[in-house]
Amino acid sequence: MRAAIRFLRANADRYDIDPARFAVWGGSAGGQLAALAALDCGTAPRGEDKNNPDASDCVQAGAGWYGVYDFATMPKAAEPRAENRYLDCAPGACTPERIAAASPAAHVDPRDPPMLLLHGTGDKVVPAGQTEELATKLRAAKVPVEVKLMPGIGHSWVGANPAATRAASLDAINLTFAFFDRTLKGAK
């Protein structure tokens, strides 16, 4: 994602993009990746990623929907654990450094952009506590954060019936668009 942000910013004129107004957004694994991109930026390109090294990969806003934000605090009862599947570690073999590198919560600092975090309280895949924990860390660092927990709603905005699913999905999309509209209009 960092390479994509740098590519778009380096080619802003070509694609008619405002390079001062970038945001990331994702749900579930994409929520984790979006939060990681928003909260861990401004370092030199890593590994094979050497393209557009002079373009910033920092964004002005981020939104995460029901993501894993700290692999270290995911429930321990599940085997294989989230980090085993997602970070491709054998059980018990994920180092604390690898877990922290992939955990947005480990990268929070006062320079981070405003964040929107949305989660359903009925999520059985990723506990809503992941969102609450990240919000607490962002607030402690004095990073603007908006949080909405949707009562009884599960992962992917699945509700008790189609009407509840539709309502949660529309609420999430409307909250996200409104957040980006408010946040990015003032960005420069």
Side-chain angles (χ1 to χ4, degrees):
M1 192 175 290
R2 291 168 45 136
I5 294 166
R6 286 196 314 276
F7 172 83
L8 289 171
R9 191 165 268 133
N11 291 281
D13 288 341
R14 178 178 176 191
Y15 294 109
D16 197 26
I17 298 170
D18 183 345
R21 293 185 172 121
F22 269 65
V24 289
W25 162 24
S28 197
Q32 178 265 337
L33 291 171
L36 190 60
L39 303 176
D40 182 29
C41 78
T43 58
R46 301 172 191 153
E48 299 293 318
D49 178 18
K50 303 287 188 226
N51 296 316
N52 304 301
D54 295 329
S56 173
D57 63 354
C58 294
V59 297
Q60 287 65 54
W65 292 0
Y66 45 81
V68 173
Y69 302 122
D70 190 346
F71 285 95
T73 64
M74 281 292 287
K76 306 268 189 244
E79 282 298 334
R81 302 243 350 243
E83 69 269 14
N84 302 138
R85 288 187 212 149
Y86 193 75
L87 303 178
D88 196 29
C89 299
C94 259
T95 65
E97 294 80 19
R98 187 168 185 175
I99 290 170
S103 297
H107 301 279
V108 171
D109 69 58
R111 298 170 294 139
D112 290 332
M115 295 290 295
L116 172 69
L117 302 173
L118 305 177
H119 215 120
T121 63
D123 194 330
K124 304 283 189 243
V125 178
V126 177
Q130 285 285 307
T131 287
E132 294 171 308
E133 289 172 28
L134 180 56
T136 297
K137 287 188 176 195
L138 290 165
R139 288 182 188 116
K142 305 220 182 310
V143 175
V145 60
E146 296 178 28
V147 178
K148 179 161 185 189
L149 300 178
M150 298 184 193
I153 299 298
H155 206 71
S156 300
W157 306 134
V158 175
N161 55 50
T165 300
R166 182 178 192 283
S169 298
L170 288 173
D171 194 20
I173 199 84
N174 288 330
L175 287 167
T176 303
F177 285 164
F179 170 76
F180 285 145
D181 190 49
R182 278 191 316 277
T183 305
L184 295 176
K185 277 188 177 175
K188 275 289 180 183

